[in-house]
Amino acid sequence: QVQLVESGGGLVQAGGSLRLSCAASGSIGSINGMGWYRQAPGKQREWVASITQAGSENYADSVKGRFTVSRDNAKKMVYLQMNSLKPEDTAVYYCYAEIQKVFGIQYQRYWGQGTQVTVSS
């Protein structure tokens, strides 16, 4: 019954910005880490950014300084602000959330459906 729904993808010119959103809903006891992966055509899925429940951020070197991950615990949402976009950022972006459906039960990683980000040169 847990669901992650993403929004905000689209087409943008190089140097532009996009803000992705991901909302978790359903039967959720608590959420630990949240973050983002991306997958370009024909390539392996790549970790992009993560954020702890307390707000500590980590980034892949390829996006460091350009992307910002944030979260709203009350809304059970995670965001990815993408600035200075490059054509190599083109990919399907997937959010994830580590969710404990019932307190005391192990966390399980859930994934969004993915949203396309295309950066034109």
Side-chain angles (χ1 to χ4, degrees):
Q1 200 170 1
V2 174
Q3 187 177 19
L4 271 62
V5 179
E6 300 166 333
S7 61
L11 175 65
V12 65
Q13 294 183 17
S17 298
L18 283 174
R19 183 175 177 86
L20 306 182
S21 300
C22 175
S25 63
S27 182
I28 298 173
S30 66
I31 303 176
N32 192 22
M34 305 181 82
W36 298 86
Y37 281 70
R38 67 187 182 186
Q39 188 166 27
K43 295 191 175 182
Q44 192 94 314
R45 185 172 296 189
E46 172 191 27
W47 171 73
V48 174
S50 62
I51 183 167
T52 69
Q53 196 274 340
S56 180
E57 308 158 36
N58 289 105
Y59 300 94
D61 288 341
S62 58
V63 307
K64 194 172 297 181
R66 300 187 297 118
F67 290 11
T68 303
V69 63
S70 60
R71 64 190 288 168
D72 186 326
N73 291 332
K75 296 180 179 179
K76 293 180 286 189
M77 296 189 69
V78 61
Y79 308 91
L80 187 67
Q81 177 67 47
M82 304 183 293
N83 299 325
S84 302
L85 282 162
K86 305 174 181 179
E88 50 263 46
D89 295 319
T90 295
V92 177
Y93 283 71
Y94 300 89
C95 68
Y96 74 86
E98 298 164 348
I99 293 174
Q100 188 182 55
K101 294 188 69 176
V102 178
F103 293 112
I105 303 300
Q106 70 176 33
Y107 285 96
Q108 183 175 342
R109 179 170 287 189
Y110 291 83
W111 294 89
Q113 78 286 354
T115 185
Q116 176 70 229
V117 172
T118 302
V119 184
S120 62
S121 60

